[in-house]
Amino acid sequence: MEKKFSPHLALAKKYWQSHLAKNDLAIDATCGNGNDTLFLSGLCKVIALDIQEKAIENTKNLLAKNQAQAQVLLLPHEKIDTLNVTPNLIVYNLGYLPTGNKSLTTKVDSTLESIQKGLEILEAKGTLSITCYPGHEEGEREELAILDFVQSLPPFMWTVCHHRWLNRSKSPSLFWVVKKFAQKKAFGQNQ
Ligand SMILES: C[S@@+](CC[C@H](N)C(=O)[O-])C[C@H]1O[C@@H](n2cnc3c(N)ncnc32)[C@H](O)[C@@H]1O
């Protein structure tokens, strides 16, 4: 069966392709079934994270089937700073596994914590790509909280973009947040 066309994911992939070089590092913060990890592994080095054993297994299987490489770790994305790396891209595809337990969805507080840490550890010109699904309750809360947070980022340091498909109610949306240059405490007020 042909896969459903998802314009937000197609757009995200175009961004990833234009942003990444072969020796770059991308972190897939929510690897799920491994589709995004597999795509990213064709572009650069990848570390993939998830909190579910099932997601780790699915991602490893998909990579093996396609003879692709990535480091796949059972680690909550809010501990992203413990990886001690400076990635060029961090990808969040929020929500729950489409065929899995819907209570194991990403959650506002840990997602915001992770995004803040992600912004800190990014390389100069590094980027966060965040796909939100406001069609379910927690997804709607996440999208609003992220919108609120990223709108407050100082423009001298960050370029922030939000894509939404306007003729669909509660359609998925994509945030693209680019760090202009490397700096500690990059989203604080007194730089
Ligand atoms: C929409 S799915 C990701 C789809 C995936 N990117 C793909 O290509 O198949 C969201 C994933 O986020 C994971 N997740 C939820 N909370 C998490 C957390 N705190 N840290 C890391 N992953 C988390 C879920 O287990 C689920 O696998």
Side-chain angles (χ1 to χ4, degrees), residues 28-186:
D28 182 352
T30 54
C31 66
N33 288 325
N35 299 300
D36 297 331
T37 301
L38 177 63
F39 185 86
L40 289 165
S41 73
L43 303 175
C44 67
K45 290 172 275 181
V46 184
I47 300 174
L49 313 177
D50 207 288
I51 48 163
Q52 290 191 62
E53 296 271 8
K54 185 72 191 149
I56 299 302
E57 186 188 323
N58 290 354
T59 299
K60 284 185 174 169
N61 286 343
L62 187 68
L63 289 168
K65 202 170 134 197
N66 289 278
Q67 295 176 323
Q69 304 274 336
Q71 195 181 351
V72 187
L73 304 174
L74 186 68
L75 184 79
H77 56 51
E78 56 273 26
K79 294 205 169 152
I80 198 165
D81 54 323
T82 64
L83 294 170
N84 286 320
V85 293
T86 49
N88 305 87
L89 175 72
I90 305 174
V91 170
Y92 295 85
N93 191 344
L94 299 176
Y96 45 80
L97 276 178
T99 53
N101 179 347
K102 295 192 176 172
S103 69
L104 294 173
T105 188
T106 52
K107 303 230 166 55
V108 178
D109 290 349
S110 47
T111 297
L112 277 183
E113 182 183 344
S114 178
I115 287 173
Q116 293 187 13
K117 288 178 173 172
L119 293 177
E120 288 285 349
I121 65 169
L122 276 179
E123 185 60 270
K125 313 268 188 236
T127 299
L128 291 195
S129 166
I130 312 166
T131 308
C132 292
Y133 296 86
H136 66 110
E137 247 177 63
E138 189 64 17
E140 188 170 18
R141 275 197 289 274
E142 270 181 317
E143 188 187 58
L144 285 173
I146 293 167
L147 188 58
D148 196 46
F149 173 64
V150 297
Q151 281 182 145
S152 72
L153 290 171
F156 74 87
M157 185 69 209
W158 302 99
T159 301
V160 181
C161 191
H162 188 202
H163 298 270
R164 165 183 300 292
W165 312 106
L166 294 174
N167 60 348
R168 272 178 63 191
S169 152
K170 302 202 173 181
S171 65
S173 72
L174 172 68
F175 291 94
W176 184 251
V177 183
V178 185
K179 190 178 209 170
K180 291 187 178 170
F181 46 89
Q183 191 175 352
K184 286 208 163 157
K185 296 278 171 213

